[in-house]
Amino acid sequence: MKIVNTENQDRILQGDIYKDIEYIEYIRDESGVIEISKIQFPLVYIMTQDCDLQQDHSSRDGVISSQDKILLSVLATPIYNYDHVIAGTHLSDLNMKMSPIDRKSTMGKLLLQNKLERYHFIEFPEDVHIVPSVIDFKHYFSLNVEYLRSKNPTNFVCRISELFRESVSYRFTNFLGRIGLPEINS
Amino acid sequence: MAKNDNDGIFSGEYSQNQTSTDNLTASTADATSTNFDKIDSEIYGTKKPKRIIFKANLINEDS
């Protein structure tokens, strides 16, 4: 079974990986001076359910007559370089210091086994030129649909195949749905 | 400072952090890092996210 499909399609699919995607942090207007801050992510993973993406595509292309199924945004998560994550430096260019992870520690081993709920480790097959990578479920964000559609022909890298994308999706929803309990002082 | 141009489409200026120094050779001894050896074409995932700030003056100084 192939883990990754490198054949692009004419629409956005769940599990797609795109390169060089810009996320707008804020737009500020002060006395006529507009400031736009955006983060350019080298790689992002598309998390939105594929049936929603399919219906959105059909609606925008006029196959479905109403606009009921059109999405306002697409959910994405950044994909970070595994070695950068281990070193805690993956967001250093954003002036953010992250916690390093010792490769040989229990946490380091759990990360590789996808047993740390926050992260999803992906190692790509030899024919896909992506370094070992980590999805950080805590850093999800939304992208404008038309913006991402415009990037589909040029910035598509590959797609995680169905079974494996379902695994990512399942772990992501578990992470989002987790219950944060307060510490109980005895 | 950025200015509007005459046809109403504003021009602006970008600033951004330095791009990361890529990590193509990092940790080749680690069993999970075999993909670092792929240098025959573009290798994805070696860069870090960077912030880009764009500023533009929306008030037309000529008017």
Side-chain angles (χ1 to χ4, degrees), chain A residues 89-111:
Chain A
T89 61
H90 50 295
L91 296 180
S92 61
D93 288 352
L94 304 180
N95 298 318
M96 294 171 67
K97 186 179 177 183
M98 313 301 283
S99 298
I101 299 171
D102 184 345
R103 291 174 198 270
K104 294 177 181 173
S105 68
T106 301
M107 196 172 170
K109 291 171 183 169
L110 291 176
L111 172 61

Side-chain angles (χ1 to χ4, degrees), chain A:
Chain A
M1 172 176 277
K2 290 180 77 172
I3 298 175
V4 171
N5 190 334
T6 55
E7 192 174 312
N8 195 10
Q9 296 194 14
D10 66 345
R11 71 172 181 89
I12 306 161
L13 275 82
Q14 181 186 358
D16 278 359
I17 293 175
Y18 292 94
K19 65 176 181 177
D20 300 332
I21 295 298
E22 292 182 345
Y23 160 69
I24 294 179
E25 285 188 292
Y26 65 82
I27 300 174
R28 185 181 296 150
D29 180 4
E30 290 184 8
S31 305
V33 177
I34 192 165
E35 179 177 303
I36 303 170
S37 178
K38 47 191 181 180
I39 298 175
Q40 186 178 62
F41 287 101
L43 289 176
V44 303
Y45 177 89
I46 302 306
M47 197 66 77
T48 299
Q49 281 287 329
D50 200 57
C51 55
D52 288 338
L53 292 167
Q54 166 74 65
Q55 290 177 339
D56 174 86
H57 178 77
S58 298
S59 296
R60 287 174 195 271
D61 285 3
V63 178
I64 299 174
S65 57
S66 80
Q67 287 74 50
D68 182 61
K69 306 299 184 187
I70 283 184
L71 298 172
L72 296 180
S73 62
V74 173
L75 195 59
T77 52
I79 300 177
Y80 299 124
N81 179 312
Y82 166 74
D83 281 353
H84 295 167
V85 171
I86 287 295
T89 61
H90 50 295
L91 296 180
S92 61
D93 288 352
L94 304 180
N95 298 318
M96 294 171 67
K97 186 179 177 183
M98 313 301 283
S99 298
I101 299 171
D102 184 345
R103 291 174 198 270
K104 294 177 181 173
S105 68
T106 301
M107 196 172 170
K109 291 171 183 169
L110 291 176
L111 172 61
L112 292 178
Q113 295 167 359
N114 280 332
K115 290 180 178 172
L116 281 185
E117 60 183 3
R118 176 175 170 176
Y119 301 106
H120 195 93
F121 174 75
I122 304 175
E123 189 166 29
F124 294 86
E126 283 293 317
D127 58 338
V128 178
H129 295 185
I130 303 179
V131 299
S133 300
V134 175
I135 296 174
D136 186 345
F137 293 144
K138 198 183 271 283
H139 291 175
Y140 61 87
F141 56 91
S142 65
L143 291 167
N144 176 270
V145 183
E146 287 297 347
Y147 166 75
L148 193 57
R149 279 164 62 98
S150 74
K151 295 292 182 184
N152 185 34
T154 54
N155 293 41
F156 173 84
V157 176
C158 66
R159 179 181 311 109
I160 302 293
S161 60
E162 288 184 12
L163 183 60
F164 296 93
R165 86 180 184 202
E166 296 308 322
S167 171
V168 176
S169 184
Y170 177 77
R171 295 195 67 237
F172 177 62
T173 53
N174 268 349
F175 178 76
L176 274 187
R178 73 196 191 284
I179 301 170
L181 297 175
E183 289 186 23
I184 299 173
N185 298 320
S186 56

